[in-house]
Amino acid sequence: MQVLSSTYSDCDELGKITKLIMADDSDILVKVRDLHFERGDRMIFDGVDLDIPRGKITAIMGPSGTGKTTMLRLIGGQIAPSSGTVHVEGQHIAGLGHSALYQIRKRMGMLFQNGALLTDMSVFNNVAFPLREHTKLSEDMIRDLVLMKLHAVGLRGARDLMPSELSGGMSRRVALARAIALDPMIMMYDEPFTGQDPISMGVLVKLIRELNDALGLTSIIVSHDIAETCSIADYIYLLSNGKVVGHGTAEELGNSSSEWAQQFLNGYSDGPVPFHYEAKDYFADLMDGSGNQKGAVNS
């Protein structure tokens, strides 16, 4: 979306600008505007705006507890915002009825933090599950599709294994094959790199980039793994205290003058997010006015 600061009196010129804005909007698959969300008395989002462009990998990053996973749930319609809007492909998610929401969710793939494989089903049947649930394809066609998806993640040879026989990295890759089984328009990744060894992490990074490009996906990654996420993300949003505190490409954020962005991206222990939790003066706290530790029992 381009910011227009000039005033146009000529109708033809204004029409050209309007068309340009509409063209820009057509490239946005997910649009979040003035989003507010609370849990009890705690504000999670306080007026968040962000755009997820089609065909790109967009990362939503920030410290633990900043609502990154909550954002995915809002996009998927699992929860509704307190105020503000989330539009997916032009549809107001919170305003959809049950049937319409069900249909658009079928076009969203989700890779959960723990993989969430069905433990009593083989690898093959885990990947086949959404195809059997949501299509009327023959078993022969389902077999071909499952093998194609497993081949894409390098695990066609593991189709007969049970989840308990898989390593953590393999489980995540099987879950990814299941998530793309229905050829979704959006793939959402919830902390995909957490708990992975360096080799498994490298494989996942490569898969996310290659699958996004090969399948024409729009991918959203929520993560606080900086190096891995920045290496594949086309655009990054940084969240803190319910706000977007920075956004841009990895290079733009790396060169940003924002102290918060620099602290987060470089892992500094102190800065806008302080090392010390808010407390009263250190010396006064030690002395507590009488030289005794507050709450101590005198003997």
Side-chain angles (χ1 to χ4, degrees):
M1 179 65 70
Q2 297 189 3
V3 179
L4 306 176
S5 57
S6 302
T7 300
Y8 291 88
S9 56
D10 184 88
C11 291
D12 290 338
E13 191 68 23
L14 183 58
K16 292 177 183 178
I17 297 299
T18 302
K19 288 179 181 178
L20 178 60
I21 292 173
M22 291 178 67
D24 286 347
D25 277 355
S26 69
D27 292 333
I28 303 303
L29 185 58
V30 179
K31 181 185 289 186
V32 177
R33 290 292 179 271
D34 196 26
L35 182 70
H36 292 75
F37 183 77
E38 301 93 23
R39 290 189 188 279
D41 295 332
R42 184 187 172 210
M43 177 68 73
I44 306 297
F45 296 123
D46 185 17
V48 168
D49 295 337
L50 56 84
D51 292 329
I52 307 296
R54 296 176 186 272
K56 303 294 185 181
I57 298 177
T58 301
I60 301 173
M61 305 181 72
S64 298
T66 52
K68 300 185 298 294
T69 300
T70 299
M71 180 62 75
L72 294 185
R73 297 182 66 198
L74 287 160
I75 293 171
Q78 294 169 285
I79 54 178
S82 304
S83 64
T85 59
V86 178
H87 284 84
V88 177
E89 207 173 34
Q91 300 185 72
H92 181 204
I93 292 296
L96 294 178
H98 180 78
S99 178
L101 182 59
Y102 181 75
Q103 291 302 316
I104 200 167
R105 277 181 179 168
K106 285 165 63 175
R107 303 180 65 196
M108 299 179 181
M110 179 74 173
L111 183 65
F112 298 95
Q113 288 188 37
N114 60 2
L117 296 179
L118 300 169
T119 57
D120 59 344
M121 289 186 180
S122 67
V123 164
F124 181 95
N125 286 326
N126 262 279
V127 180
F129 184 79
L131 293 166
R132 290 169 175 155
E133 284 291 306
H134 300 298
T135 74
K136 296 181 180 180
L137 296 174
S138 68
E139 280 298 312
D140 285 343
M141 181 63 74
I142 288 174
R143 177 184 182 277
D144 290 345
L145 288 171
V146 169
L147 294 183
M148 289 170 62
K149 304 305 181 184
L150 285 173
H151 185 75
V153 301
L155 291 176
R156 181 166 47 85
R159 61 192 176 201
D160 296 324
L161 297 180
M162 298 298 289
S164 60
E165 300 176 277
L166 304 175
S167 67
M170 291 172 70
S171 293
R172 204 73 59 94
R173 288 155 63 190
V174 171
L176 179 53
R178 183 180 61 184
I180 63 172
L182 292 172
D183 294 325
M185 63 176 177
I186 300 176
M187 263 302 302
M188 295 186 281
Y189 299 87
D190 188 7
E191 297 288 1
F193 311 122
T194 299
Q196 299 298 298
D197 63 72
I199 295 176
S200 296
M201 192 177 295
V203 168
L204 281 170
V205 169
K206 180 174 181 286
L207 277 173
I208 291 171
R209 181 77 262 178
E210 290 185 349
L211 289 174
N212 188 86
D213 296 342
L215 301 179
L217 299 172
T218 297
S219 298
I220 307 171
I221 301 176
V222 301
S223 178
H224 53 249
D225 291 288
I226 296 166
E228 292 73 27
T229 304
C230 288
S231 71
I232 55 171
D234 297 302
Y235 204 80
I236 301 168
Y237 286 92
L238 299 181
L239 300 180
S240 181
N241 295 322
K243 302 281 190 181
V244 174
V245 296
H247 60 93
T249 64
E251 182 178 2
E252 288 169 344
L253 288 174
N255 295 327
S256 170
S257 59
S258 165
E259 291 183 3
W260 195 98
Q262 291 303 319
Q263 182 185 6
F264 180 77
L265 294 173
N266 293 291
Y268 298 148
S269 62
D270 207 357
V273 180
F275 172 72
H276 288 286
Y277 191 81
E278 185 178 356
K280 64 181 181 180
D281 179 76
Y282 183 40
F283 182 76
D285 205 6
L286 287 174
M287 299 304 296
D288 192 32
S290 63
N292 292 323
Q293 181 181 350
K294 192 171 183 178
V297 178
N298 294 323
S299 57

